[in-house]
Structure formats: structure tokens, C-alpha cells
Amino acid sequence: MFLKIGERINSSRKDIAAALKARDEAAIRKEARLQKEAGADMLDVNCAFNSKDEPADMGWLVELVQNETGLPLSIDSPNPKALESGLRRHKGRALINSATLERSKLDSILPLAKNYDADIIILTMDEKGMPSTEDGRLALAKKALDTAKAHGIRKERLYIDPLVRPVSSEQRQGLEVIKSVRAIKSRFEARTICGLSNVSFGLPARTALNSVFLTMLLSAGLDAAILDVSEKKIKTAIRAAEALLGRDNFCTEYLKSYRSGEIEK
Ligand code: THG
């Protein structure tokens, strides 16, 4: 089943940054609860932006959000110390978000996946940066799979993230990501994940773009996404696409969502 990861506990959002700074438990609990009630399978927690002590902030967030929801978390940081601080406090299987293919990152982050028996996202990005084409992304996906294997991490624990970029500044990037997801699935049978909302930066009516993009990605075989589960358009897109793609037996989930008022007519 498609994995929905709630994106809202991210310090790039003003309310979350303020709640983190003030150690406002009630505000964070509320965001966590809202996303669980909206059907999130997992919650992303990110406190990288403007943090003075990211490992401390991450530890606090992980305990608080799991205490409120009991959901598994996607621990989102480029900083291995913050990742480990979150992993130490996490109950059950966490998702490490993320490693890149830069040597220093691989050497510090892949062992964390092994030691904490966590799932891990590897981004298609290396010392040379982020490739713009499907071929470039595929080459790095292959490298991610090989490197994970060399570290004793099985394919079942891995997600490849082809890195979504705003179409407002690079118009071909939506299509290249869709093609990359399809190719990574068919060539390597590896799981794929995207941070959906990046696609619409700098444009109005972002949810319209996000939900249409998600529909296309689902058709290409995307396994998981970090997205705003509280948006009705997003939930409608997921339920409709799964029914239309034959992934919802007897359209049970679609009908259930319709009856509970979650489908936007
Ligand atoms: N891949 C992986 N992880 C990721 C991303 C990715 N983590 C971070 C990000 N991308 C996904 N999460 C978000 C969270 C919020 C927003 C976008 C992506 C967002 N926020 C509004 C903004 O900044 O304009 C918030 C405005 C506000 O409410 O203050 O759009 O690609 N692996």
C-alpha cells in the first residue's frame, strides 16, 4: 500500500519553528494529532532550519510526537548527530531521512541504518550535485543500491528519492522525476519516495499542482511520499488514483473515504 508521510512538523514552517524555540508541547502535539487523524501512516520530523542545537531539538521532537501518536517517524535531517539523537529515542522501526551519495554522508549515515535496523532514504545526489535527467538519476539509484548492499542493508529497507525540484524554475523537472520513478521501479525493483510539495514552490494554488503531480507519480509506481495529509485534494487524488489503477479491491477504500466525507466531489 502507498505510504503517506505527514510533512507538517518541519521548522521551515513558521508555526513549527516558533513552537520548537518555545518548547511548546501543546502546539507540536496538535500538529501530530491532526496528521494522524487525517490518515498519516508515518510523520516526518524536521528541525534543521534555524536550530541552535539540532540533536537536542530532534530528540525532544521524536519523544513528543511518538508519545502523542504512537506512529513511526521519518527522522529528517542532513546531520548524522541529529539523526542518531532521534533514532536513540525512537520506538519501533524508524525511517532515516536521508543519506546522499557523498562519501562522508554514506560512511556516517549507512551504519546508523544498520545499527538501529531502520529504513533509509537515499537521495539521488552526490559530490557533483543533483542530476537533472532520468539517466543521471538512474545511475545514482544504481549506486545507492550497490552501496547499501555493500553496507549489509537489504533492498527492502531502502527508498530511493529522485529529488523533486520546483517546476517554477525548471519546467522539465516534473517529467524527469516521473520518468525516473517508473525506471527505478522497473529496472531495479527498488522502492521510491518523493517530497511532493517541493514541486510547487513559487507558484499559486500549490495544492492543485501537488495533487495532480501525485496522481502522475502514483501511476508511475511511487511507493511513498512526504506530503500534507490534511489537504482534501491530496487525499482525493490518492483514493481516486488507487481505485483507477486497480490497487483498491472493489474500490473499498474509495467508498469508505467517500462515506466519511474525505473525497472532494
Ligand atoms: N525528500 C525527502 N525529504 C524531504 C523532502 C524531499 N523533506 C523536506 C521536504 N522535502 C518535504 N517536506 C516539506 C514540508 C513543508 C513544505 C514543503 C515540503 C512546504 N512548506 C511551506 C513553505 O515553505 O512554503 C510552509 C509555509 C508555512 O506554512 O509556513 O511547502 O524532497 N526525502
Side-chain angles (χ1 to χ4, degrees), residues 25-237:
E25 289 196 8
I28 300 291
R29 284 182 188 276
K30 195 172 156 204
E31 280 290 357
R33 207 159 49 234
L34 177 147
Q35 295 183 92
K36 183 181 181 178
E37 283 163 7
D41 304 303
M42 197 181 247
L43 299 180
D44 188 80
V45 288
N46 180 320
C47 51
F49 188 73
N50 256 351
S51 177
K52 291 212 176 69
D53 185 350
E54 204 191 338
D57 283 353
M58 187 60 94
W60 181 76
L61 262 187
V62 165
E63 269 187 14
L64 182 61
V65 174
Q66 277 210 304
N67 173 289
E68 179 62 33
T69 63
L71 289 173
L73 305 181
S74 155
I75 302 174
D76 187 354
S77 171
N79 175 348
K81 290 207 167 64
L83 290 173
E84 179 146 33
S85 171
L87 286 165
R88 256 201 315 268
R89 288 165 180 83
H90 189 276
K91 298 198 184 71
R93 177 171 283 140
L95 174 60
I96 296 173
N97 185 11
S98 50
T100 65
L101 291 157
E102 294 154 288
R103 192 76 261 161
S104 62
K105 292 283 182 184
L106 287 172
D107 290 343
S108 53
I109 297 176
L110 289 187
L112 291 176
K114 188 84 186 134
N115 294 342
Y116 289 89
D117 190 29
D119 281 356
I120 182 168
I121 300 173
I122 301 185
L123 312 176
T124 55
M125 179 178 166
D126 65 4
E127 278 86 1
K128 289 186 235 122
M130 295 182 273
S132 300
T133 62
E134 174 191 347
D135 284 349
R137 285 177 167 98
L138 268 180
L140 291 189
K142 170 87 169 67
K143 190 169 164 197
L145 285 158
D146 292 346
T147 313
K149 194 169 178 187
H151 276 80
I153 297 167
R154 292 164 51 214
K155 198 158 72 172
E156 290 75 17
R157 299 270 69 82
L158 193 66
Y159 287 94
I160 307 286
D161 183 337
L163 282 170
V164 170
R165 293 165 19 195
V167 290
S168 55
S169 51
E170 297 176 275
Q171 286 77 59
R172 274 195 67 81
Q173 285 307 304
L175 179 61
E176 292 298 328
V177 164
I178 292 162
K179 289 196 301 182
S180 300
V181 166
R182 197 181 295 282
I184 292 167
K185 300 292 306 172
S186 66
R187 283 228 205 133
F188 309 129
E189 290 169 348
R191 294 191 297 184
T192 51
I193 188 167
C194 284
L196 187 65
S197 308
N198 305 351
V199 82
S200 60
F201 275 121
L203 289 169
R206 290 183 62 182
T207 311
L209 292 159
N210 294 347
S211 58
V212 171
F213 191 49
L214 178 59
T215 308
M216 296 169 169
L217 289 167
L218 282 166
S219 163
L222 187 73
D223 298 280
I226 302 164
L227 39 71
D228 189 347
V229 280
S230 72
E231 290 284 0
K232 209 167 175 177
K233 271 197 168 62
I234 294 287
K235 253 199 324 222
T236 301

